[in-house]
Amino acid sequence: MSDHPLRLGVNIDHIATLRNARGGTHPDPVAGAWAAIQAGADGITAHLREDRRHIRDDDLERLQTLCESENIPLNMEMAATEEMRDIALALKPRAVCIVPERREERTTEGGLDVAGGHNQIAPIVRALSENGSRVSLFIEAVEAQITAAVHCGAAVVEFHTGAYAHALDNGDVAKAASILEALKTGAKSADSQGLEVHFGHGLTFDNVGDVAAIPEAVELNIGHFVIGEAVFMGLEAAIKEMRQHMDAARQTQG
Ligand code: PXP
């Protein structure tokens, strides 16, 4: 069994997506965050995108107030821009995850190019860290990116599990197995270089087990699937079932 307890961060962006579809106030992502905390979420994750397509600035402020009053970290996902840096500096969330962002994408596709973007990313990591936020970089499990994350001064890396989930969805078991190996190797390397290891994107009840079983994993950030599943079974039950899958994988790990 791993030495690390495994944390579950619940990404509530898509409650805001549903709200914004009608332009009103319902369902409120902050009410969703509260329900997620009651169901046992260890953290709340929210992505303030440049186009504000789901989470908006006032949501983030209300989420920060809720999380601080519940003593739960808010993990703000953001692009490495000056606008987002300034918002995060003012908000002071306990955690920030820097992600790549392109306007036309449907979701965060691929990891951040930390190796190629050092000069842009490193000063933002430094400013946010000095301001009291624990900074994570959302990367592919590739050695050059892990080393670059260390050089940028990040405390955490979150490995992108989207390609793994996608390969399994497509029934490409061999590809999924090879991506899983890369995730395991990356986790070992990052951990040995002093980085805390998180994983996220595309995780479901069916695919979370092998990722949760990676011994270096400290946190999983899961959104779309649990919010989607909540339509059928309720948010509390969806989060509790996800947690059961994570815990079961952790207990059976060699
Ligand atoms: N982690 C990061 C860094 C992300 O950008 C996202 C998607 O916003 C997630 C985790 C959650 O992914 P999903 O919604 O597919 O569970």
Side-chain angles (χ1 to χ4, degrees):
M1 244 177 96
S2 162
D3 295 342
H4 301 296
L6 185 58
R7 299 164 45 82
L8 171 59
V10 174
N11 181 318
I12 45 81
D13 291 349
H14 295 303
I15 300 177
T17 303
L18 200 55
R19 174 198 59 192
N20 296 355
R22 281 290 167 93
T25 57
H26 184 81
D28 183 359
V30 183
W34 188 84
I37 294 167
Q38 304 316 306
D42 298 298
I44 296 297
T45 294
H47 185 175
L48 186 68
R49 293 188 71 103
E50 191 189 8
D51 61 10
R52 311 305 199 261
R53 71 171 71 150
H54 37 56
I55 295 295
R56 300 191 294 235
D57 301 60
D58 67 300
D59 294 330
L60 208 57
E61 282 160 26
R62 292 185 304 125
L63 286 167
Q64 170 71 350
T65 304
L66 172 74
C67 287
E68 284 308 308
S69 77
E70 296 289 323
N71 198 20
I72 287 274
L74 173 66
N75 176 28
M76 174 185 171
E77 292 179 357
M78 54 169 256
T81 63
E82 287 182 9
E83 182 202 11
M84 289 299 152
R85 177 201 61 198
D86 291 347
I87 290 172
L89 285 174
L91 191 73
K92 295 183 191 286
R94 288 201 212 169
V96 170
C97 182
I98 301 181
V99 303
E101 202 177 296
R102 288 193 304 276
R103 259 178 195 277
E104 68 278 11
E105 70 189 356
R106 260 193 241 157
T107 179
T108 312
E109 291 161 9
L112 193 65
D113 182 11
V114 187
H118 178 94
N119 293 346
Q120 184 190 359
I121 295 165
I124 296 181
V125 172
R126 195 177 323 113
L128 294 174
S129 304
E130 285 171 6
N131 197 46
S133 296
R134 195 163 164 77
V135 182
S136 161
L137 301 177
F138 189 44
I139 60 172
E140 301 292 337
V142 171
E143 192 54 35
Q145 298 297 345
I146 298 167
T147 313
V150 174
H151 289 151
C152 274
V156 181
V157 280
E158 181 166 326
F159 289 123
H160 199 310
T161 48
Y164 173 64
H166 199 58
L168 284 176
D169 272 354
N170 291 339
D172 194 341
V173 178
K175 186 170 178 191
S178 106
I179 299 172
L180 185 62
E181 276 317 302
L183 292 169
K184 289 180 184 173
T185 307
K188 260 200 193 67
S189 169
D191 181 71
S192 75
Q193 295 180 67
L195 293 163
E196 187 174 296
V197 176
H198 300 177
F199 293 94
H201 213 282
L203 296 174
T204 67
F205 294 155
D206 288 339
N207 67 22
V208 75
D210 284 336
V211 175
I214 297 174
E216 292 80 12
V218 170
E219 180 174 304
L220 307 185
N221 282 300
I222 308 181
H224 186 267
F225 179 82
V226 281
I227 303 304
E229 202 57 23
V231 171
F232 304 110
M233 64 193 302
L235 187 56
E236 183 177 346
I239 290 170
K240 287 191 168 152
E241 187 165 338
M242 186 60 82
R243 167 80 74 188
Q244 280 163 9
H245 287 287
M246 289 164 58
D247 290 347
R250 215 62 174 173
Q251 271 150 19
T252 54
Q253 150 194 104

Coordinates of all heavy atoms in Angstrom, one line a residue, residues 65-144:
T65 N -14.5 31.7 -0.6 CA -15.1 32.0 0.7 C -15.6 30.7 1.3 O -15.3 30.4 2.5 CB -16.3 33.0 0.6 OG1 -15.7 34.2 -0.1 CG2 -16.9 33.4 1.9
L66 N -16.3 29.9 0.5 CA -16.8 28.6 1.0 C -15.7 27.7 1.4 O -15.7 27.1 2.5 CB -17.6 27.9 -0.1 CG -18.1 26.5 0.2 CD1 -19.2 26.5 1.2 CD2 -18.5 25.7 -1.0
C67 N -14.7 27.5 0.5 CA -13.6 26.6 0.8 C -12.8 27.0 2.1 O -12.5 26.1 2.9 CB -12.7 26.5 -0.4 SG -13.4 25.5 -1.7
E68 N -12.6 28.3 2.2 CA -11.9 28.7 3.4 C -12.7 28.5 4.7 O -12.2 28.0 5.7 CB -11.5 30.2 3.3 CG -10.3 30.4 2.4 CD -9.1 29.5 2.8 OE1 -8.7 29.5 3.9 OE2 -8.6 28.8 1.8
S69 N -14.1 28.7 4.6 CA -14.9 28.5 5.8 C -15.0 27.0 6.1 O -15.2 26.6 7.2 CB -16.2 29.2 5.6 OG -17.1 28.4 4.8
E70 N -14.9 26.1 5.1 CA -14.9 24.7 5.3 C -13.5 24.1 5.5 O -13.4 22.9 5.6 CB -15.6 24.0 4.1 CG -17.0 24.4 3.9 CD -18.0 23.8 4.9 OE1 -17.8 22.7 5.4 OE2 -18.9 24.6 5.3
N71 N -12.5 24.9 5.4 CA -11.1 24.5 5.6 C -10.7 23.4 4.6 O -10.2 22.4 4.9 CB -10.8 24.0 7.0 CG -9.3 24.0 7.3 OD1 -8.5 24.7 6.6 ND2 -8.9 23.2 8.3
I72 N -11.1 23.7 3.3 CA -10.8 22.8 2.2 C -10.1 23.6 1.1 O -10.4 24.8 0.9 CB -12.2 22.4 1.6 CG1 -12.9 21.4 2.5 CG2 -12.1 21.8 0.2 CD1 -12.6 20.0 2.3
P73 N -9.1 23.1 0.5 CA -8.4 23.9 -0.5 C -9.2 24.1 -1.8 O -9.9 23.2 -2.3 CB -7.1 23.1 -0.9 CG -7.2 21.8 -0.2 CD -8.4 21.8 0.8
L74 N -9.2 25.3 -2.2 CA -9.7 25.6 -3.6 C -8.5 25.6 -4.5 O -7.5 26.2 -4.3 CB -10.3 27.0 -3.6 CG -10.7 27.5 -5.1 CD1 -11.9 26.7 -5.6 CD2 -11.1 29.0 -5.1
N75 N -8.7 24.8 -5.6 CA -7.6 24.6 -6.6 C -8.1 25.4 -7.8 O -9.0 24.9 -8.5 CB -7.5 23.1 -6.9 CG -6.5 22.8 -8.0 OD1 -5.5 23.6 -8.2 ND2 -6.7 21.7 -8.7
M76 N -7.5 26.5 -8.1 CA -7.9 27.3 -9.2 C -7.1 26.9 -10.4 O -5.8 27.0 -10.4 CB -7.7 28.8 -8.9 CG -7.9 29.7 -10.1 SD -7.4 31.4 -9.7 CE -7.6 32.2 -11.4
E77 N -7.8 26.4 -11.5 CA -7.1 26.1 -12.7 C -7.1 27.4 -13.6 O -8.1 28.1 -13.7 CB -7.8 25.0 -13.5 CG -7.7 23.7 -12.8 CD -8.4 22.6 -13.6 OE1 -9.1 22.9 -14.6 OE2 -8.4 21.5 -13.1
M78 N -5.9 27.7 -14.2 CA -5.8 28.9 -15.0 C -4.7 28.8 -16.1 O -3.8 28.0 -15.9 CB -5.5 30.1 -14.1 CG -4.3 29.9 -13.2 SD -3.7 31.4 -12.3 CE -2.3 31.8 -13.4
A79 N -4.9 29.6 -17.1 CA -3.8 29.7 -18.1 C -2.7 30.6 -17.6 O -2.9 31.4 -16.7 CB -4.4 30.3 -19.4
A80 N -1.5 30.5 -18.2 CA -0.4 31.3 -17.7 C -0.4 32.6 -18.4 O 0.4 33.0 -19.2 CB 0.9 30.5 -18.1
T81 N -1.4 33.4 -18.0 CA -1.5 34.8 -18.6 C -1.4 35.8 -17.4 O -1.6 35.5 -16.2 CB -2.9 35.0 -19.3 OG1 -3.9 34.9 -18.3 CG2 -3.1 34.0 -20.4
E82 N -1.1 37.0 -17.8 CA -1.0 38.1 -16.8 C -2.4 38.3 -16.1 O -2.5 38.6 -14.9 CB -0.5 39.4 -17.4 CG 1.0 39.3 -17.7 CD 1.5 40.6 -18.3 OE1 0.8 41.6 -18.3 OE2 2.7 40.5 -18.8
E83 N -3.5 38.3 -16.9 CA -4.8 38.5 -16.3 C -5.1 37.5 -15.2 O -5.5 37.8 -14.1 CB -5.9 38.4 -17.4 CG -7.3 38.7 -16.9 CD -8.4 38.1 -17.7 OE1 -8.1 37.3 -18.7 OE2 -9.6 38.4 -17.4
M84 N -4.8 36.2 -15.5 CA -5.1 35.1 -14.6 C -4.2 35.2 -13.4 O -4.6 35.0 -12.2 CB -5.0 33.8 -15.3 CG -6.2 33.5 -16.2 SD -7.8 33.5 -15.4 CE -8.8 34.1 -16.7
R85 N -2.9 35.5 -13.6 CA -2.0 35.7 -12.5 C -2.5 36.7 -11.5 O -2.5 36.5 -10.3 CB -0.6 36.1 -13.1 CG 0.4 36.4 -12.0 CD 1.5 37.3 -12.5 NE 1.0 38.6 -12.9 CZ 1.6 39.5 -13.6 NH1 2.8 39.2 -14.1 NH2 1.1 40.6 -13.9
D86 N -3.0 37.8 -12.1 CA -3.4 38.9 -11.2 C -4.7 38.5 -10.4 O -4.8 38.9 -9.2 CB -3.6 40.2 -12.0 CG -2.3 40.8 -12.5 OD1 -1.2 40.3 -12.0 OD2 -2.3 41.7 -13.4
I87 N -5.6 37.8 -11.0 CA -6.8 37.3 -10.3 C -6.4 36.4 -9.2 O -6.8 36.5 -8.1 CB -7.7 36.7 -11.3 CG1 -8.3 37.7 -12.3 CG2 -8.9 35.9 -10.6 CD1 -9.2 37.2 -13.4
A88 N -5.4 35.4 -9.5 CA -5.0 34.5 -8.5 C -4.3 35.2 -7.4 O -4.4 34.8 -6.2 CB -4.1 33.4 -9.2
L89 N -3.5 36.2 -7.7 CA -2.8 36.9 -6.6 C -3.7 37.6 -5.7 O -3.5 37.6 -4.5 CB -1.8 37.9 -7.3 CG -0.5 37.4 -7.9 CD1 0.2 38.5 -8.6 CD2 0.4 36.7 -6.9
A90 N -4.8 38.1 -6.2 CA -5.8 38.8 -5.4 C -6.7 37.8 -4.6 O -7.0 38.0 -3.4 CB -6.7 39.7 -6.2
L91 N -7.0 36.6 -5.2 CA -7.8 35.6 -4.6 C -7.1 34.8 -3.5 O -7.7 34.4 -2.5 CB -8.4 34.7 -5.7 CG -9.5 33.8 -5.3 CD1 -10.8 34.6 -5.1 CD2 -9.7 32.7 -6.3
K92 N -5.9 34.5 -3.8 CA -5.0 33.7 -2.9 C -5.7 32.3 -2.6 O -5.8 31.9 -1.4 CB -4.8 34.4 -1.5 CG -4.0 35.6 -1.5 CD -3.8 36.1 -0.1 CE -3.2 37.5 0.0 NZ -1.8 37.6 -0.4
P93 N -6.0 31.6 -3.7 CA -6.5 30.2 -3.4 C -5.3 29.4 -2.9 O -4.2 29.7 -3.1 CB -6.9 29.7 -4.8 CG -6.0 30.5 -5.7 CD -5.8 31.8 -5.1
R94 N -5.7 28.3 -2.1 CA -4.6 27.5 -1.5 C -3.8 26.8 -2.6 O -2.6 26.5 -2.5 CB -5.1 26.5 -0.5 CG -5.6 27.1 0.7 CD -5.7 26.1 1.8 NE -6.8 26.5 2.7 CZ -7.2 25.7 3.7 NH1 -6.7 24.5 3.9 NH2 -8.2 26.1 4.4
A95 N -4.5 26.5 -3.7 CA -3.8 25.8 -4.8 C -4.1 26.4 -6.2 O -5.2 26.9 -6.4 CB -4.2 24.3 -4.8
V96 N -3.1 26.4 -7.0 CA -3.3 26.9 -8.4 C -2.7 25.8 -9.3 O -1.6 25.3 -9.1 CB -2.6 28.2 -8.7 CG1 -2.6 28.6 -10.2 CG2 -3.2 29.4 -7.9
C97 N -3.5 25.5 -10.4 CA -3.0 24.5 -11.4 C -2.9 25.3 -12.7 O -3.9 25.8 -13.2 CB -3.8 23.3 -11.5 SG -3.2 22.1 -12.7
I98 N -1.7 25.4 -13.3 CA -1.5 26.1 -14.5 C -1.7 25.1 -15.7 O -1.1 24.1 -15.7 CB -0.2 26.8 -14.6 CG1 -0.1 27.8 -13.4 CG2 0.0 27.5 -15.9 CD1 1.2 28.6 -13.4
V99 N -2.7 25.5 -16.6 CA -3.1 24.6 -17.6 C -2.9 25.3 -19.0 O -3.0 26.5 -19.0 CB -4.5 24.1 -17.5 CG1 -4.7 23.4 -16.1 CG2 -5.5 25.2 -17.6
P100 N -2.7 24.5 -20.1 CA -2.7 25.2 -21.4 C -4.2 25.5 -21.7 O -5.1 24.9 -21.2 CB -2.2 24.1 -22.3 CG -2.6 22.8 -21.6 CD -2.6 23.1 -20.2
E101 N -4.4 26.5 -22.6 CA -5.7 26.9 -22.9 C -5.8 27.5 -24.3 O -5.0 28.3 -24.7 CB -6.2 28.0 -21.9 CG -7.7 28.1 -21.8 CD -8.1 29.1 -20.8 OE1 -7.8 28.9 -19.6 OE2 -8.7 30.1 -21.2
R102 N -6.6 26.9 -25.1 CA -6.9 27.5 -26.4 C -8.4 27.7 -26.6 O -9.2 26.9 -26.2 CB -6.4 26.5 -27.5 CG -4.9 26.4 -27.7 CD -4.5 25.7 -29.0 NE -5.2 24.4 -29.1 CZ -4.7 23.2 -28.5 NH1 -3.6 23.3 -27.9 NH2 -5.4 22.1 -28.7
R103 N -8.7 28.8 -27.1 CA -10.1 29.2 -27.2 C -11.0 28.2 -27.8 O -12.1 27.9 -27.4 CB -10.3 30.5 -27.9 CG -10.5 31.7 -27.0 CD -10.5 33.0 -27.8 NE -10.3 34.1 -26.9 CZ -11.3 34.6 -26.2 NH1 -12.5 34.2 -26.2 NH2 -11.1 35.6 -25.4
E104 N -10.5 27.6 -28.9 CA -11.4 26.7 -29.7 C -11.5 25.3 -29.2 O -12.4 24.6 -29.6 CB -10.9 26.7 -31.2 CG -9.5 26.0 -31.4 CD -8.3 26.9 -31.1 OE1 -8.5 28.0 -30.5 OE2 -7.2 26.5 -31.4
E105 N -10.7 25.0 -28.1 CA -10.8 23.6 -27.6 C -12.1 23.4 -26.8 O -12.6 24.3 -26.2 CB -9.6 23.3 -26.8 CG -9.5 24.0 -25.5 CD -8.2 23.9 -24.7 OE1 -7.3 23.2 -25.2 OE2 -8.1 24.5 -23.7
R106 N -12.5 22.2 -26.8 CA -13.7 21.9 -25.9 C -13.4 21.7 -24.5 O -14.1 22.0 -23.6 CB -14.3 20.5 -26.4 CG -15.5 20.8 -27.3 CD -16.3 19.6 -27.5 NE -16.3 19.2 -28.9 CZ -16.5 18.1 -29.4 NH1 -16.7 17.0 -28.6 NH2 -16.5 17.9 -30.7
T107 N -12.2 21.2 -24.2 CA -11.7 21.0 -22.9 C -10.2 21.1 -22.9 O -9.6 21.4 -24.0 CB -12.1 19.7 -22.2 OG1 -11.6 19.6 -20.9 CG2 -11.7 18.5 -23.0
T108 N -9.5 20.9 -21.8 CA -8.0 21.1 -21.8 C -7.4 19.9 -22.5 O -7.3 18.8 -22.0 CB -7.5 21.2 -20.4 OG1 -8.3 22.1 -19.7 CG2 -6.1 21.6 -20.3
E109 N -6.9 20.2 -23.7 CA -6.4 19.1 -24.6 C -4.9 19.1 -24.5 O -4.2 20.1 -24.9 CB -6.8 19.3 -26.0 CG -8.3 19.0 -26.2 CD -8.9 19.7 -27.5 OE1 -8.1 20.1 -28.3 OE2 -10.1 19.7 -27.6
G110 N -4.3 18.1 -24.0 CA -2.8 18.0 -23.9 C -2.3 18.8 -22.7 O -3.0 19.6 -22.1
G111 N -1.0 18.4 -22.4 CA -0.4 19.1 -21.3 C 0.2 20.4 -21.6 O 0.4 20.8 -22.8
L112 N 0.7 21.1 -20.6 CA 1.4 22.4 -20.7 C 2.8 22.1 -21.3 O 3.4 21.2 -20.8 CB 1.4 23.0 -19.4 CG 1.8 24.4 -19.2 CD1 0.8 25.4 -19.8 CD2 1.9 24.7 -17.7
D113 N 3.3 23.0 -22.2 CA 4.6 22.9 -22.6 C 5.5 23.7 -21.7 O 5.8 24.9 -22.0 CB 4.8 23.3 -24.1 CG 6.2 23.1 -24.6 OD1 7.0 22.5 -23.8 OD2 6.5 23.7 -25.7
V114 N 5.9 23.1 -20.6 CA 6.7 23.8 -19.6 C 8.1 24.0 -20.1 O 8.7 25.1 -19.9 CB 6.7 23.1 -18.2 CG1 7.4 23.9 -17.1 CG2 5.3 22.7 -17.8
A115 N 8.6 23.0 -20.8 CA 9.9 23.1 -21.3 C 10.1 24.3 -22.3 O 11.0 25.1 -22.2 CB 10.3 21.8 -22.0
G116 N 9.1 24.4 -23.2 CA 9.1 25.5 -24.2 C 8.7 26.8 -23.6 O 9.0 27.8 -24.2
G117 N 7.9 26.8 -22.5 CA 7.4 28.1 -22.0 C 8.0 28.5 -20.7 O 7.4 29.4 -20.0
H118 N 9.2 28.1 -20.4 CA 9.8 28.4 -19.1 C 9.8 29.9 -18.8 O 9.4 30.3 -17.7 CB 11.3 27.9 -19.1 CG 12.0 28.2 -17.8 ND1 12.0 27.4 -16.8 CD2 12.6 29.4 -17.4 CE1 12.7 28.0 -15.8 NE2 13.0 29.2 -16.2
N119 N 10.1 30.7 -19.7 CA 10.2 32.2 -19.4 C 8.9 32.8 -19.1 O 8.9 33.8 -18.4 CB 10.9 32.9 -20.6 CG 12.3 32.5 -20.8 OD1 12.9 31.8 -19.9 ND2 12.9 32.8 -21.9
Q120 N 7.8 32.2 -19.6 CA 6.5 32.8 -19.3 C 6.0 32.2 -18.0 O 5.3 32.9 -17.2 CB 5.6 32.4 -20.5 CG 4.2 33.0 -20.3 CD 3.2 32.4 -21.4 OE1 3.6 31.5 -22.2 NE2 2.0 32.8 -21.3
I121 N 6.2 30.9 -17.8 CA 5.6 30.2 -16.7 C 6.4 30.4 -15.4 O 5.7 30.6 -14.3 CB 5.5 28.6 -17.1 CG1 4.6 28.5 -18.3 CG2 5.0 27.8 -15.9 CD1 4.7 27.1 -18.9
A122 N 7.7 30.3 -15.4 CA 8.5 30.4 -14.2 C 8.1 31.6 -13.3 O 7.9 31.5 -12.1 CB 10.0 30.3 -14.5
P123 N 8.1 32.8 -13.9 CA 7.8 34.0 -13.1 C 6.4 33.9 -12.4 O 6.2 34.4 -11.3 CB 7.9 35.2 -14.0 CG 8.5 34.7 -15.3 CD 8.3 33.2 -15.3
I124 N 5.4 33.3 -13.2 CA 4.1 33.2 -12.6 C 4.1 32.2 -11.5 O 3.5 32.5 -10.4 CB 3.1 32.8 -13.7 CG1 3.0 33.9 -14.8 CG2 1.7 32.5 -13.1 CD1 2.0 33.7 -15.9
V125 N 4.8 31.1 -11.6 CA 4.9 30.1 -10.5 C 5.5 30.8 -9.3 O 5.0 30.6 -8.2 CB 5.8 28.9 -11.0 CG1 6.1 28.0 -9.8 CG2 5.1 28.1 -12.1
R126 N 6.6 31.6 -9.6 CA 7.3 32.2 -8.4 C 6.3 33.2 -7.7 O 6.2 33.2 -6.5 CB 8.5 32.9 -8.9 CG 9.5 33.3 -7.8 CD 10.8 34.0 -8.3 NE 11.3 33.4 -9.5 CZ 11.4 34.1 -10.7 NH1 11.0 35.3 -10.8 NH2 11.9 33.5 -11.7
A127 N 5.6 34.0 -8.5 CA 4.8 35.1 -7.9 C 3.7 34.4 -7.1 O 3.4 34.8 -5.9 CB 4.2 36.0 -9.0
L128 N 3.0 33.4 -7.6 CA 1.9 32.7 -6.9 C 2.4 32.0 -5.7 O 1.7 32.0 -4.6 CB 1.2 31.8 -7.9 CG 0.5 32.5 -9.0 CD1 -0.1 31.5 -10.0 CD2 -0.6 33.4 -8.5
S129 N 3.6 31.3 -5.8 CA 4.1 30.6 -4.7 C 4.4 31.6 -3.5 O 4.1 31.3 -2.4 CB 5.4 29.8 -5.1 OG 5.1 28.9 -6.1
E130 N 5.1 32.7 -3.9 CA 5.4 33.7 -2.9 C 4.2 34.3 -2.2 O 4.2 34.7 -1.1 CB 6.3 34.8 -3.5 CG 7.7 34.3 -3.7 CD 8.6 35.3 -4.5 OE1 8.1 36.4 -4.8 OE2 9.7 34.9 -4.9
N131 N 3.1 34.2 -2.9 CA 1.8 34.8 -2.4 C 1.0 33.7 -1.6 O 0.0 34.0 -1.1 CB 1.0 35.2 -3.7 CG -0.2 36.1 -3.3 OD1 0.0 37.1 -2.6 ND2 -1.4 35.8 -3.9
G132 N 1.6 32.5 -1.5 CA 1.0 31.5 -0.6 C 0.2 30.4 -1.3 O -0.4 29.6 -0.6
S133 N 0.2 30.4 -2.6 CA -0.6 29.3 -3.3 C 0.4 28.2 -3.6 O 1.6 28.5 -4.0 CB -1.2 29.8 -4.6 OG -2.2 30.8 -4.3
R134 N -0.1 27.0 -3.5 CA 0.8 25.8 -3.9 C 0.5 25.6 -5.4 O -0.6 25.4 -5.8 CB 0.3 24.6 -3.1 CG 1.2 23.5 -3.1 CD 0.8 22.6 -1.9 NE 1.4 21.2 -2.1 CZ 2.6 20.9 -1.8 NH1 3.4 21.9 -1.4 NH2 3.1 19.7 -2.0
V135 N 1.6 25.7 -6.2 CA 1.4 25.7 -7.7 C 1.7 24.4 -8.3 O 2.8 23.8 -8.1 CB 2.3 26.8 -8.3 CG1 2.0 26.9 -9.8 CG2 1.9 28.2 -7.7
S136 N 0.8 24.0 -9.1 CA 0.9 22.7 -9.9 C 0.9 23.0 -11.4 O 0.3 24.0 -11.8 CB -0.4 21.9 -9.5 OG -0.6 20.9 -10.4
L137 N 1.6 22.2 -12.1 CA 1.6 22.3 -13.6 C 1.0 21.1 -14.2 O 1.4 20.0 -13.8 CB 3.1 22.5 -14.1 CG 3.8 23.8 -13.5 CD1 5.3 23.8 -14.0 CD2 3.1 25.1 -13.8
F138 N 0.1 21.3 -15.1 CA -0.6 20.2 -15.8 C 0.1 19.7 -17.0 O 0.2 20.5 -18.0 CB -2.0 20.7 -16.1 CG -3.0 19.7 -16.6 CD1 -3.1 18.5 -15.9 CD2 -3.8 19.9 -17.7 CE1 -4.1 17.5 -16.4 CE2 -4.8 19.0 -18.1 CZ -4.9 17.8 -17.4
I139 N 0.8 18.6 -16.9 CA 1.7 18.2 -18.0 C 1.5 16.7 -18.4 O 0.8 16.0 -17.7 CB 3.2 18.3 -17.5 CG1 3.5 17.4 -16.3 CG2 3.6 19.8 -17.3 CD1 5.0 17.4 -15.9
E140 N 2.0 16.4 -19.6 CA 2.1 15.0 -20.0 C 3.2 14.4 -19.2 O 4.2 15.0 -18.8 CB 2.4 14.9 -21.5 CG 1.4 15.6 -22.4 CD 0.0 15.0 -22.4 OE1 -0.1 13.7 -22.1 OE2 -1.0 15.7 -22.7
A141 N 3.1 13.0 -19.0 CA 4.2 12.3 -18.3 C 5.4 12.1 -19.2 O 5.7 11.0 -19.6 CB 3.6 11.0 -17.7
V142 N 6.1 13.1 -19.4 CA 7.3 13.1 -20.3 C 8.5 13.7 -19.5 O 8.3 14.8 -18.8 CB 7.0 14.0 -21.5 CG1 8.3 14.2 -22.3 CG2 5.9 13.4 -22.4
E143 N 9.6 13.1 -19.5 CA 10.7 13.5 -18.6 C 11.1 14.9 -18.8 O 11.4 15.7 -17.8 CB 11.9 12.5 -18.8 CG 13.0 12.7 -17.8 CD 12.5 12.5 -16.3 OE1 11.6 11.7 -16.1 OE2 13.1 13.2 -15.5
A144 N 11.1 15.4 -20.0 CA 11.6 16.8 -20.3 C 10.6 17.8 -19.6 O 11.0 18.8 -19.1 CB 11.6 17.1 -21.8

